[in-house]
Amino acid sequence: MECVKVRSSKRLSKKCKRHAEDKENKLKQHHECDTEHMDDDSSSTLLDLEASLDCLYEKRSSTREAGLKGMIDAFVARVMTHFVDDKYETLTHQILSSIKQSSSTEAALAGRALAMVSITAGAGKVAEHVFEASFPHLSKISKLGRDSAARVSAIEALGMLAFVGGVDLEEASAMEVLWQIVIHKGSAHADQTLGTSKPTPPVKAAAITAWSLLLSTLSSKRVMALQLPSVLGALSCLLEDPDVGVCKAAGEAIALLFEVGSIHLLEEQALGEAGRARRRKKDPSRGAASGTWWRLSKVVRVMRLCVKLKHGDSLKIGTWSQTVQLNAFRRLLGEGFQRHLQENDLLHQVFNFAPSNAVVSKGTAKQQKHQNCMASKMKTQLMNQRRCALEATRKFNDGSVEIC
């Protein structure tokens, strides 16, 4: 029996195959309990993951890259939670070793692989460990990486790892790293003051998007602590950026701020500015910024869409927060998004989604308790965001979405 199934366009190296063949008998013995409830595809995916992990120990970069590609394909194709729970420390260590390599291709692949580990593990101790171990390395590459693709991958991984496994202080630290990239203006002075190298447009767009993903989890109280005037001022300037990706990401971040923040406080600030109109007329520089709040309030409207799924299911998206989260998972999961939405408990909790053919996963009482707490937290956040969204709709129902 061929122990490693590969696509013609994405073959593991011969050395990886030999490792898989050597491990086949061991897997049958040590994973007998795990594979009793698996179908043939899941068993094959398990073998692929073992072979791919072995490849990460090799010295040749092309072999490690093949292993990372195989690992990503396996995690996209199936929800292999048991494998991650058993090997998360080894996976994290070996993938981080690849992230620190000089090869930009390997570093970019490793960033996505690390994000896939976190998504597969779901909220809990495993995801927290992965985030804590990865944060210093991902932060450094995100801010100072020389290759644009590697930086984008590290930024996306940092955002997802903090979203799944970060607690309040750690999540705030990740947001700070991302914001330093967002506000970098490309000067040598900014390099020194922010400790960040000049970001290319794709890097800046990725940083805004990852920052927005973490923003989507904050309460209104924490949002108001972000010094909104300066944050919105910086984002509104980026609406005029010549790069479409940066402009679009900034527009989505602004829409999200109006949704998750206290919309009435933003309006009060706008009214306060309008009340000082006479003084602005005497100061052209202040006059140029006087209409910022009004312009932004007129372009924000609640995002609504319905994603059609298999088995007659559909996922209804009614807030900007959900839209930002949906786009983040879609980018990383690619063609595996549908399967993960059907089978991955993390996505069920994030989107408050229950598939019609749901299979109840087995777990310990401690794991079940943690999942219930996570689901309760997500449900509370969703209800708060919906209330803000409904309020925004009533106040700005004559507006339209205009994102560059």
Side-chain angles (χ1 to χ4, degrees):
M1 181 182 70
E2 182 77 14
C3 63
V4 179
K5 293 174 68 176
V6 295
R7 300 174 183 174
S8 59
S9 59
K10 296 182 178 180
R11 292 187 182 277
L12 293 175
S13 69
K14 291 181 180 179
K15 189 172 290 186
C16 292
K17 290 182 180 180
R18 287 198 299 271
H19 277 296
E21 290 168 359
D22 292 339
K23 279 222 167 187
E24 183 175 8
N25 292 329
K26 293 181 181 179
L27 286 171
K28 287 180 179 178
Q29 295 173 1
H30 294 97
H31 297 283
E32 193 172 295
C33 294
D34 288 338
T35 56
E36 281 180 356
H37 61 278
M38 288 185 180
D39 55 25
D40 291 340
D41 287 341
S42 295
S43 299
S44 176
T45 302
L46 180 61
L47 293 172
D48 288 349
L49 283 170
E50 291 282 0
S52 298
L53 181 56
D54 283 342
C55 289
L56 301 189
Y57 289 91
E58 298 298 328
K59 294 183 178 180
R60 184 174 296 179
S61 61
S62 60
T63 304
R64 296 194 301 270
E65 289 171 13
L68 289 167
K69 289 178 183 177
M71 186 175 293
I72 292 170
D73 289 343
F75 281 135
V76 166
R78 308 289 296 188
V79 184
M80 302 298 292
T81 306
H82 291 292
F83 178 81
V84 171
D85 288 344
D86 290 341
K87 307 221 174 204
Y88 68 91
E89 290 183 338
T90 303
L91 284 166
T92 304
H93 180 268
Q94 290 305 125
I95 295 174
L96 285 176
S97 296
S98 289
I99 284 180
K100 292 181 281 187
Q101 296 297 325
S102 57
S103 168
S104 59
T105 301
E106 183 177 354
L109 288 169
R112 186 181 177 191
L114 201 57
M116 293 300 302
V117 170
S118 184
I119 291 173
T120 303
K125 296 297 182 183
V126 173
E128 291 172 11
H129 169 86
V130 174
F131 175 69
E132 290 173 2
S134 306
F135 178 72
H137 307 289
L138 292 177
S139 298
K140 182 178 179 180
I141 297 174
S142 297
K143 296 174 68 173
L144 300 171
R146 295 181 180 180
D147 180 78
S148 179
R151 288 184 75 178
V152 168
S153 179
I155 287 169
E156 291 179 345
L158 178 61
M160 183 55 70
L161 264 62
F163 178 81
V164 179
V167 295
D168 289 348
L169 292 177
E170 294 167 338
E171 191 175 58
S173 299
M175 290 188 74
E176 178 62 26
V177 170
L178 296 168
W179 187 248
Q180 289 171 353
I181 301 171
V182 172
I183 62 176
H184 194 295
K185 296 183 178 180
S187 64
H189 178 69
D191 288 349
Q192 297 175 357
T193 56
L194 298 174
T196 304
S197 61
K198 180 180 178 180
T200 61
V203 169
K204 180 162 285 193
I208 299 171
T209 302
W211 183 84
S212 298
L213 176 63
L214 299 183
L215 175 68
S216 70
T217 66
L218 301 187
S219 63
S220 296
K221 182 178 180 181
R222 290 184 64 191
V223 171
M224 296 307 295
L226 294 176
Q227 298 182 337
L228 284 178
S230 61
V231 170
L232 276 171
L235 291 173
S236 63
C237 290
L238 293 175
L239 288 175
E240 300 177 0
D241 193 277
D243 184 80
V244 175
V246 172
C247 181
K248 181 177 181 294
E252 290 176 347
I254 290 170
L256 183 58
L257 275 170
F258 272 84
E259 179 182 273
V260 301
S262 298
I263 197 74
H264 66 279
L265 292 179
L266 296 176
E267 282 194 322
E268 288 175 6
Q269 204 152 5
L271 291 172
E273 287 192 5
R276 294 189 292 273
R278 293 180 181 178
R279 282 181 291 174
R280 290 196 186 95
K281 289 181 180 179
K282 299 179 182 180
D283 188 341
S285 63
R286 294 179 67 184
S290 63
T292 299
W293 297 98
W294 292 107
R295 290 197 303 273
L296 295 178
S297 68
K298 292 297 182 182
V299 302
V300 177
R301 188 179 67 183
V302 178
M303 172 67 71
R304 297 185 184 279
L305 62 113
C306 182
V307 181
K308 297 296 182 182
L309 305 171
K310 296 179 180 179
H311 312 295
D313 288 334
S314 62
L315 176 64
K316 294 181 179 179
I317 301 297
T319 66
W320 277 105
S321 297
Q322 289 180 316
T323 302
V324 169
Q325 293 165 4
L326 174 68
N327 291 338
F329 281 105
R330 273 179 161 175
R331 274 192 302 273
L332 290 166
L333 291 171
E335 61 184 15
F337 175 76
Q338 288 257 355
R339 177 176 287 276
H340 276 260
L341 191 59
Q342 294 286 343
E343 301 178 7
N344 192 323
D345 288 339
L346 173 65
L347 273 67
H348 298 167
Q349 295 159 9
V350 169
F351 297 109
N352 194 28
F353 174 75
S356 57
N357 63 336
V359 178
V360 180
S361 59
K362 298 179 181 179
T364 64
K366 184 177 180 180
Q367 289 172 332
Q368 191 63 41
K369 181 179 179 181
H370 181 83
Q371 290 177 359
N372 292 338
C373 291
M374 181 68 178
S376 177
K377 178 182 176 182
M378 288 295 182
K379 185 176 181 180
T380 301
Q381 290 177 350
L382 181 62
M383 291 175 65
N384 291 337
Q385 291 163 5
R386 283 177 175 170
R387 282 195 290 269
C388 291
L390 289 172
E391 185 176 0
T393 302
R394 289 195 297 269
K395 292 180 181 296
F396 304 121
N397 57 8
D398 59 337
S400 60
V401 180
E402 296 177 6
I403 304 178
C404 294

